[in-house]
C-alpha cells in the first residue's frame, strides 16, 4: 500500500466484490474501510499520490484518478481503454503531467487539466525500448529528466523537453527496482546481482560502484541524513552518500521517500531544515 498520512491505500484487481477499486483503511484499530466505485482493473500497477493530493494509477487498459477526503472518495473519470497495459507506479513532473510506463516498451505522458472532473487528453507516447522489452516505472530527477530501466539491462534518461534520450547505458545486470534520484545530480541504482551504482545524471557515467555481496531487493532509499539504504538477503545495508538526501522533485524515486509512502506532500526535512528520517 501507499500512505496518505497514516491511511493505507491500495488499488485492486481480480473479480471479487472489492476488485477494480481504490481501497482505503481509515482506522487501523478497527480497520474501518472506504472504497470507490468500480474504476479499472489495477493489475500490475500501484497507485501514487501526486503533488495535488490526488491518487493516480495506471490500470490494465486505462488511467484512473480519485481523492480521499474525510473518509469519502471523490472519483474521476478513467481514461478510455486502449491497447496499452500500464505497469508500476506513475511519476509526476508537475503542472498536471503524469507519466506511465506501458507493457509495449513506451512511456505515455498525460497532461491532466481537471483530474477529478474529466479524463486526461490523449497521451504523448515515447518509445524507449522494443515492444517486447519491458520497462520500469519512471522516476523524475531535479531537472525533470525521467529515468527508467529496461529488461535488457539498459538505463535511459529522457529530458523533459525532448523525445530522444539524453543517454542510454548498459548496466552490469538488470535493475532490482526503478532508479533513485539523489540530490547533487546523482542517480542510484541497485542490480539483482548485488551491485550498487552511483551515476552522473548529466551523462550516465559511473561515479562509484559497490558490491553488496547479495541481490538487492526493491528500490534504494536515500535519507536526508546522508545515508543510502538497501535491502539485501536478510539484512539492511547502509552506505554514506556523496550528496545527502533525495532530489528536490515531485517524484524523486520509486517509493518517493524512505517511508515508501508515495505521498509527495510529506517533506523530508522540517521547516527549520532538520532531518525527519
Amino acid at each position: 500500500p501507499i500512505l496518505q498520512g497514516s491511511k493505507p491505500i491500495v488499488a485492486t484487481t481480480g473479480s471479487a466484490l472489492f476488485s477494480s477499486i481504490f481501497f482505503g483503511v481509515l482506522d487501523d484499530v478497527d480497520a474501518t474501510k472506504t472504497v470507490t466505485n468500480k474504476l479499472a482493473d489495477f493489475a500490475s500497477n500501484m497507485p501514487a499520490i501526486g503533488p495535488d493530493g490526488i491518487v493516480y494509477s495506471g490500470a490494465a487498459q486505462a488511467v484512473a484518478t480519485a481523492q480521499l477526503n474525510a473518509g469519502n472518495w471523490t472519483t474521476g473519470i478513467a481514461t478510455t481503454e486502449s491497447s496499452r497495459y500500464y505497469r508500476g507506479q506513475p511519476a509526476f513532473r508537475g503542472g498536471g503531467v503524469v507519466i506511465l510506463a506501458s507493457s509495449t516498451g513506451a512511456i505515455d505522458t498525460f497532461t491532466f487539466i481537471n483530474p477529478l472532473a474529466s479524463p486526461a487528453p490523449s497521451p504523448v507516447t515515447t518509445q524507449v525500448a522494443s515492444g517486447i522489452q519491458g520497462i520500469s516505472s519512471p522516476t523524475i530527477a531535479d531537472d525533470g529528466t525521467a529515468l527508467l530501466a529496461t529488461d535488457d539491462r539498459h538505463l535511459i534518461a529522457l529530458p523533459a523537453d525532448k523525445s530522444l534520450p539524453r543517454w542510454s547505458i548498459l548496466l552490469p545486470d538488470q535493475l532490482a527496482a526503478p532508479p533513485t534520484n539523489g540530490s547533487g545530480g546523482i542517480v542510484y541504482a541497485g542490480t539483482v546481482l548485488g551491485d550498487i551504482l552511483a551515476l552522473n545524471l548529466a551523462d550516465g557515467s559511473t561515479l562509484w560502484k559497490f558490491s553488496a555481496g547479495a541481490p538487492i531487493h526493491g528500490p534504494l532509499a536515500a535519507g536526508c541524513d546522508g545515508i543510502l539504504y538497501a535491502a539485501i538477503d536478510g539484512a539492511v545495508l547502509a552506505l554514506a552518500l556523496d550528496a545527502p538526501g533525495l532530489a528536490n522533485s515531485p517524484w524523486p524515486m520509486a517509493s518517493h521517500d524512505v517511508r515508501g509512502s508515495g505521498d509527495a506532500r510529506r517533506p523530508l526535512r522540517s521547516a527549520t531544515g532538520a532531518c525527519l528520517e
Side-chain angles (χ1 to χ4, degrees), residues 188-218:
Y188 301 102
T191 73
V192 296
L193 284 182
D195 290 320
I196 296 175
L197 305 170
L199 307 171
N200 189 336
L201 177 63
D203 57 12
S205 59
T206 300
L207 299 173
W208 54 258
K209 177 181 176 181
F210 178 85
S211 178
I216 306 298
H217 298 286

Side-chain angles (χ1 to χ4, degrees), residues 81-136:
E81 289 190 357
S82 69
S83 59
R84 296 285 196 210
Y85 283 79
Y86 295 107
R87 55 190 291 181
Q89 285 184 298
F92 306 101
R93 272 200 178 118
V97 176
V98 180
I99 307 170
L100 285 154
S102 79
S103 59
T104 59
I107 61 170
D108 281 353
T109 301
F110 293 86
T111 302
F112 283 83
I113 304 301
N114 192 338
L116 297 177
S118 61
S122 298
V124 174
T125 299
T126 304
Q127 196 71 37
V128 294
S130 66
I132 61 173
Q133 291 290 341
I135 57 176
S136 71

Side-chain angles (χ1 to χ4, degrees), residues 116-202:
L116 297 177
S118 61
S122 298
V124 174
T125 299
T126 304
Q127 196 71 37
V128 294
S130 66
I132 61 173
Q133 291 290 341
I135 57 176
S136 71
S137 302
T139 61
I140 308 299
D142 271 339
D143 62 359
T145 298
L147 292 116
L148 52 108
T150 68
D151 289 350
D152 64 350
R153 299 190 294 129
H154 282 83
L155 181 63
I156 299 172
L158 289 169
D161 57 347
K162 297 179 181 178
S163 59
L164 296 177
R166 175 187 297 171
W167 47 259
S168 176
I169 60 170
L170 182 65
L171 298 167
D173 197 56
Q174 189 171 347
L175 287 193
T180 296
N181 291 288
S183 60
I186 300 176
V187 179
Y188 301 102
T191 73
V192 296
L193 284 182
D195 290 320
I196 296 175
L197 305 170
L199 307 171
N200 189 336
L201 177 63

